Structure formats: structure tokens, C-alpha cells
Amino acid sequence: MGMRDPRVDAYIAKSADFARPILTHLRELVHATCPEAEETMKWSFPHFMYKGMLCAMASFKEHCSFGFWKGSLIVPKDGADSEEGMGHFGRITRISDLPSKKVLTGYIKTAMKLNEDGIKKPTPPKPKKLVEVVVPDDLLKALQGNSAARATFEKFSPSHKREYIEWITEAKTEATRTKRLQTAIEWMAEGKARNWKYMNC
């Protein structure tokens, strides 16, 4: 049999009035579907364990959340509303915001099977390698003619370099490009990033 944690009782009891029936509904559904589930508190909110992390619920001032540890393998598109709140079902303010009992039971069973089979939580993809910064010839020439501007440019991160390069190369006319290039060299000679005006706002 599973195990209930009195800390979860206390968590539900101190939650907002709207949240208590939602949390109670989720708790009972997890235990009905997975009788061996054990409750615990992690990161200050209730988690359900079954051969590893299974799922978790939380309450906030105006909404609740519910999600699976391996959600991307369980909930289609990781939850249609997942971007609107923590968990996989967006901001839950009433029980009807949740999928049906049948659907949630299916998700819980899938989560159980993944844990039983020892399937690991997918690791997020590694960030793409940054594309090398290509400095246009006119900027390169202007930098070579101004040692202070060149020193500033060389110290910039790739993103700061790109800000100047894009600003110059996106000019619609040659006159605008020339003016931006001159301004860029002046600013860099003073040690300024492209968006220096907004940095201390």
C-alpha cells in the first residue's frame, strides 16, 4: 500500500478555498490509480512517488498546477496550456479545468509504466552552437582605423558584436549605413554597447 504524508494534509488545509477541492481531487485520483504511490514534499509542494518521481501538484494564490515528472512522454505536446503555468495543464482554478477522470487516470498509468520500465526523463536538447560572428568589410576597416573602438569590439560578447553588425547591415540605404557605421565607431571608442542608452533604464 502507498503512504500518505501528514505534510500534504497540512499543505491542502492551508491552501486557498478554491484550491482545496482541486488538490483533494488530484490526490485521491493518484491514490485510486496507483495504490502504491507514496507522498512526500519536495521544493515545498506535494509529490507522489512510485518507483521514482511520478507527479506533483501545487497551489498558488489564484490557481493550482499538476504535472508529471516525465510529462513530455505522457501529455500530448507537453500539455496544450503548459506555457500558461507550472505543470502540464496550465492554470487550474476549478476541477473542470482538468482533463476528465478517465484521461487523467490514463496519464497516471502511463507515468507508472514509464517508471516500472526504468525510462529516464528526457534531457533537454543541448543549446545550439553559436554561429561565428562575421564582421562586414566596411566595419572591419573602420575598426582597424580606430584602436579604441577595436579594443571595445574585441571585448564584446558575440551577441553584443551581432547587435552592432545587424544594425549596420540592416540599413536600407548606403547613406544610412555609412552614418550608422560612423556612429558605431564613435560609441565603441567610448566603450559603449549598441543599446547602451537602455542599459541603465
Side-chain angles (χ1 to χ4, degrees):
M1 285 296 291
M3 185 182 73
R4 293 187 182 237
D5 189 324
R7 293 175 299 171
V8 175
D9 291 303
Y11 183 93
I12 294 172
K14 71 177 184 182
S15 294
D17 289 346
F18 81 89
R20 287 196 287 273
I22 298 167
L23 298 176
T24 301
H25 170 77
L26 289 167
R27 185 188 200 186
E28 297 309 318
L29 193 59
V30 171
H31 284 293
T33 309
C34 182
E36 294 174 46
E38 294 187 359
E39 297 176 354
T40 188
M41 294 292 287
K42 289 178 181 287
W43 302 295
S44 302
F45 56 92
H47 282 67
F48 299 91
M49 311 294 289
Y50 171 74
K51 300 182 188 296
M53 296 259 266
L54 190 70
C55 53
M57 62 185 188
S59 70
F60 304 94
K61 283 184 180 178
E62 296 180 354
H63 72 281
C64 294
S65 69
F66 181 64
F68 294 94
W69 184 243
K70 298 169 183 170
S72 60
L73 300 176
I74 300 164
V75 183
K77 292 185 180 177
D78 214 11
D81 301 315
S82 59
E83 290 179 9
E84 294 179 18
M86 195 173 88
H88 298 108
F89 306 100
R91 298 166 65 89
I92 305 161
T93 58
R94 60 183 79 82
I95 290 173
S96 60
D97 288 339
L98 286 162
S100 68
K101 193 177 281 191
K102 182 181 177 182
V103 170
L104 274 179
T105 298
Y107 288 157
I108 295 165
K109 286 180 177 176
T110 302
M112 290 167 63
K113 183 80 167 65
L114 290 171
N115 284 5
E116 288 166 355
D117 294 345
I119 306 294
K120 301 285 185 192
K121 182 180 180 181
T123 52
K126 289 181 180 176
K128 292 179 184 176
K129 276 190 172 180
L130 287 172
V131 182
E132 190 181 340
V133 178
V134 179
V135 184
D137 291 341
D138 52 354
L139 176 57
L140 200 58
K141 188 175 178 182
L143 288 168
Q144 286 168 350
N146 188 310
S147 57
R150 186 171 71 249
T152 299
F153 188 78
E154 286 170 358
K155 286 179 191 170
F156 278 156
S157 65
S159 62
H160 277 121
K161 287 179 181 176
R162 277 194 202 92
E163 284 171 357
Y164 267 120
I165 291 167
E166 287 171 6
W167 185 52
I168 292 164
T169 56
E170 287 170 3
K172 291 191 166 44
T173 67
E174 199 59 42
T176 302
R177 181 170 176 139
T178 302
K179 183 159 179 45
R180 287 184 181 180
L181 184 58
Q182 289 169 350
T183 304
I185 295 299
E186 285 170 19
W187 285 352
M188 283 188 274
E190 294 169 11
K192 294 174 178 175
R194 156 78 181 96
N195 294 309
W196 62 273
K197 291 179 183 176
Y198 309 104
M199 288 183 165
N200 296 318
C201 290

